[in-house]
């Protein structure tokens, strides 16, 4: 089960107080590396298709 870190901020916009809540998953170092590799691989494929369509 993934745990999440929660950050809460309150800001004032046009006289109204808004609460911003950001939740971030907490992963072990090896999980973070695997997720990063997957994202990089996916982005590489997207950009490769984009570049090949331009030529």
């Amino acid at each position: 089960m993934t745990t999440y870190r929660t950050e809460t901020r309150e800001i004032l916009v046009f006289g109204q107080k808004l609460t911003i809540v950001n939740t971030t998953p907490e992963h072990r170092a090896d999980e973070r590396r695997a997720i990063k590799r997957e994202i990089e691989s996916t982005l590489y494929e997207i950009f490769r298709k984009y570049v090949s369509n331009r030529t």
Side-chain angles (χ1 to χ4, degrees), residues 5-55:
R5 180 181 60 222
T6 302
E7 299 174 36
T8 305
R9 278 181 45 190
E10 291 183 350
I11 61 172
L12 197 59
V13 178
F14 299 114
Q16 292 184 344
K17 187 176 9 174
L18 300 177
T19 302
I20 309 294
V21 179
N22 183 28
T23 55
T24 306
E26 293 182 337
H27 298 288
R28 294 187 322 260
D30 60 328
E31 291 176 319
R32 282 194 305 272
R33 283 191 296 274
I35 292 167
K36 182 178 178 179
R37 276 193 305 272
E38 182 180 345
I39 291 170
E40 288 173 344
S41 174
T42 303
L43 287 174
Y44 175 79
E45 291 300 319
I46 291 169
F47 288 123
R48 190 172 68 111
K49 289 177 186 177
Y50 176 74
V51 170
S52 68
N53 287 337
R54 295 189 76 189
T55 57

